[in-house]
Amino acid sequence: MRALKVLIGAAAGAAIVLALRDYRQGGWLRPALPGTGGEGGLLLEDDEEDLLEEPVLGYDGMDRDTLVDWLDDADLDERTLLRIRRYEENADNREPVLDKIDDLLAAFG
């Protein structure tokens, strides 16, 4: 009976790993961001509804210092950083957060 439980647990773990693996791009799947329109979708600059949504889950729950630290560690792509910047400008407009985003965007050229 114990061996059966171990086998079922291993099969469940393997199924989870297979479900989260992105074989086309050779990496792990990332959670969808609100307003991105799925794979390859574009975020329109003037879409007011998207500007009201959190750019990433948990963003509104972070204070300024936590957010700056998180941005350092998050390894975000340019598109996500631009979305966060637009959201921050329209929400709290915190200068240290905008400065950190600008620093990270500068790395993309």
Side-chain angles (χ1 to χ4, degrees), residues 34-90:
T36 57
E39 185 177 338
L42 297 175
L43 176 68
L44 301 175
E45 293 273 343
D46 58 351
D47 194 344
E48 290 182 30
E49 184 175 318
D50 284 334
L51 290 175
L52 299 176
E53 293 179 17
E54 277 185 305
V56 291
L57 186 62
Y59 185 90
D60 288 338
M62 290 187 259
D63 64 15
R64 182 193 68 207
D65 295 333
T66 303
L67 189 52
V68 169
D69 290 342
W70 176 78
L71 286 166
D72 263 337
D73 297 334
D75 191 31
L76 300 170
D77 61 20
E78 182 178 21
R79 181 178 171 168
T80 304
L81 286 168
L82 289 170
R83 179 170 168 70
I84 291 171
R85 189 171 204 310
R86 278 195 307 272
Y87 180 82
E88 182 65 32
E89 284 177 329
N90 289 300

